[in-house]
Amino acid sequence: MKYQNVNFNNYFANYPDANGYFGKYGGSYIPQDLQKAIDEVNIAYQTIGQSSAFNEELQRIRKEFQGRPTPITHLKRLSSQFDDINLFVKREDLNHTGAHKINHCMGEALLARSMGKTKLIAETGAGQHGVALATAAAYFGLKCDIYMGAVDVKKQAPNVARMKILGANVIEVNEGSASLKEAVDAAFKAYSQEYDNAIYCIGSVVGPHPFPMMVRDFQKIVGIEAREQFLTMNNCLPDAVIACVGGGSNAIGIFSGFLNDDVELFGIEPLGKGKQLGQHAASLAYGQEGIMHGFNSLMLKDQDGNPAPVYSIASGLDYPSSGPEHAFLHDIGRVKYDVINDYETIDAFFELSRKEGIIPAIESSHAVAYAIKLAKIQKKGNFLINLSGRGDKDIDHIIATYGIR
Ligand SMILES: *Cc1c(COP(=O)(O)O)cnc(C)c1O
C-alpha cells in the first residue's frame, strides 16, 4: 500500500531514517553532552536490541510476567444497539500494572541491564510511567530515580506510594511550575551527569532519536497480536482501528500491525473543554511544527512560540506535542486524527462499564467514545479499539467531579 510515495510494504525499514526522521519530523535536538549518552543507547539498541537473545528474553517476559498475549473482546451488548456494527477491544488493560506502558518499560529496562547499567532515570507526570518503570526496575534489580514535579507529587499520592513500595526513589522537583516540564528538565540533567551507570527511559514515542523508534518497536507487539487475533476470530481484518493519542505509544503500537492493510486508522486526541488554546491537548489536530524535548513534531504553541499550556481530563493525554511519527502519518494522510471532548469521554467511560463490565482508563475512554460516534455515522463495520488501560486509577476523580451516572 502507498500513500504520497510512502511505501508501506517496507515501511519499518525506512522510517525513521538513520538520523531518526519521519519525513521532516523527529531528529535529535539536544545538548552535546546528552547526545553522547543517547548515541550510546542508539548503538546498543541497534546491536544488542536486535539480537535473538534479547528478543527471546523479552518474549518470555511478556508471556510469563506481563500476561501476554492480551485478548480481544467482542463488545456484544454495546454493539447490539446498532444494526450492523461490531465493536471489539484489544485488552491492554489486562497487562500487569494495568496499561500498555509496561510494554516499552520492560524493553527499556532489559536494554539497560544488557548494557551493564545499574540505574533507570525518568520523569513522570501523573505517575503512570513512573509506576510502570519502577515495576521494570524491581523485576531486573535495577535502581530507579523518578523525577516528579512537587505539585504532581501532592496530586498523585497513590502512585507516589506505589513507586516507593516498588523501591524507586521519587525526587521532587520544585523549579518553575513544579510539574511535568520541570521534571523532564531535571531528569535530562541527571542523565547527562550519570550516564556512565544509568539510562534514561522515556514514557512514550517522543523525545530525541532513537526513543520514538525504540518505543514504537517495543509497542509493535500490540498490533502484531491484534491483527492475528482479529483474523482468527472474524476471518477478516477490522474496517477501522481506533486509539487515543497522548504522546502516541499505544496508538502507534496497534496501528503498526495494520499500516500496510486496507484498514482505516483513527488517532483520537483530547478536546477537553473546547477548541480554545489551553482548553485541550490536540496537538495533531490544531498544532504547528515545532521543537520541544529534543524532537521536531506538531506542537501547540503560545504567542511566543513556546509549548502552550494544555488541558485534558486524562493526565496521560495532557501533552503539548505528539510523537514525530504521528505528525508524519498525519501529514501524508495514512492516519486520521480527530478529537473527543471531556463529556463524550465520561459518557463512554460509563457506557463501557455498564454494558460490558470493563472500567476503562479515562485516556482509553476517548477512543471508545470515538468508536461509538463513528458507529452512528458509518452504520456498518467492524471497529477495533485499543483499550490502553484500566480505569481504577480514575474512579475517585470521576465520582468526585461527575458523580455516578
Ligand atoms: C499514558 C497513557 C496513555 C497515553 O500515552 P500514549 O503514549 O499516547 O499511549 C494512554 N492510555 C493510558 C492508559 C495511559 O496510561
Side-chain angles (χ1 to χ4, degrees), residues 99-101 128 203-204 244-251 316-317 361 363-364 388-389:
H100 71 289
K101 284 194 177 76
Q128 295 303 109
S204 188
C244 66
V245 178
S249 64
N250 88 85
L317 304 181
E363 289 83 3
S364 326
S388 54

Side-chain angles (χ1 to χ4, degrees), residues 100-120:
H100 71 289
K101 284 194 177 76
I102 196 84
N103 293 333
H104 60 251
C105 286
M106 295 310 288
E108 289 174 316
L110 177 61
L111 186 67
R113 199 207 55 191
S114 310
M115 291 168 75
K117 304 292 185 188
T118 54
K119 187 196 271 188
L120 309 179

